[in-house]
Each structure stands twice: as C-alpha cells, then as structure tokens.
C-alpha cells in the first residue's frame, strides 16, 4: 500500500496517508535526529486513510472493512509510536473478538 521509490518518497506516502506529524499528533517528532533538516509540506486536507480504506456503510457499496477493522488499522498505523497499539492490545482488540 505504501511503495515509495526511496526514503523521501516513502515518508511522503506515509504522511499523505496518515497526515503530517505536528505537535498535536506526535509532539516528540521535532526531537528526532534529522527531523529539522527536511521540512514536510503541511497537509491542509484530511489524511487519505479513510478514503483509501472505506468502511462498510448501510447505504454504501461493499467493502471489506467494518468500523472495528478501521479502528484497528488506524491504531496500527499511528505515526506516534507512543500512541500506536501494542501487539498484546492488538490481539485483545474487538476486531478479533
């Protein structure tokens, strides 16, 4: 789903899908080595995760993801490692119940 043509292209694809890191979603990002060297374009539009992985809606078309699955996907792909779901919590997620 995220096949970049190099490191910078890969990072751009991740930020396009999930949004650009900022103080609200990843306060520690600015402290990472080399984070200050390159400036990423701030994305004013919404991240593409919801449009790339649509959820089944009663009147919408058939997809393979329900609300519980989308919640798990969002938690697995969190930019901030501190808020990303752990493997143990993943196995206990409602998606697997």
């Amino acid at each position: 789903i995220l096949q970049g043509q190099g490191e910078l292209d890969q990072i751009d694809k991740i930020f396009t899908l999930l949004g650009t890191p900022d103080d609200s979603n990843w306060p520690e990002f600015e402290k990472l080595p080399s984070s200050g060297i390159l400036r990423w374009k701030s994305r004013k539009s919404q991240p593409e995760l919801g449009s790339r992985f649509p959820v089944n809606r009663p009147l919408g078309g058939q997809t393979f993801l329900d609300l519980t699955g989308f919640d798990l996907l969002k938690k697995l792909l969190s930019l901030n490692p501190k808020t990303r779901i752990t493997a143990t919590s993943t196995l206990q997620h409602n998606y697997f119940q």
Side-chain angles (χ1 to χ4, degrees), residues 4 8 11 16 19-20 22 27 29 31 33 37 46-47 56 59 61 65 67 69-70 76 78-79 84 87 91 93:
L8 297 178
I11 292 170
T16 298
T20 306
D22 59 28
F29 178 76
K31 296 176 186 170
I37 293 173
Q46 291 286 36
N56 277 341
L59 301 175
L65 196 60
L67 285 173
F70 184 77
L76 286 166
S78 173
L79 286 173
R84 194 173 303 135
L91 293 174
H93 192 273

Side-chain angles (χ1 to χ4, degrees), residues 6-75:
E7 290 178 11
L8 297 178
D9 187 43
Q10 185 68 47
I11 292 170
D12 186 59
K13 288 184 183 310
I14 292 168
F15 290 170
T16 298
L17 183 68
L18 304 175
T20 306
D22 59 28
D23 287 339
S24 68
N25 61 20
W26 192 359
E28 298 86 3
F29 178 76
E30 291 294 324
K31 296 176 186 170
L32 294 174
S34 303
S35 68
I37 293 173
L38 301 170
R39 293 288 165 205
W40 303 104
K41 294 180 267 179
S42 181
R43 308 233 184 254
K44 294 191 179 175
S45 60
Q46 291 286 36
E48 293 181 359
L49 188 64
S51 62
R52 291 269 309 268
F53 299 96
V55 175
N56 277 341
R57 293 185 177 87
L59 301 175
Q62 178 66 29
T63 65
F64 297 100
L65 196 60
D66 62 8
L67 285 173
T68 308
F70 184 77
D71 179 66
L72 177 59
L73 180 65
K74 198 163 129 180
K75 289 177 178 177

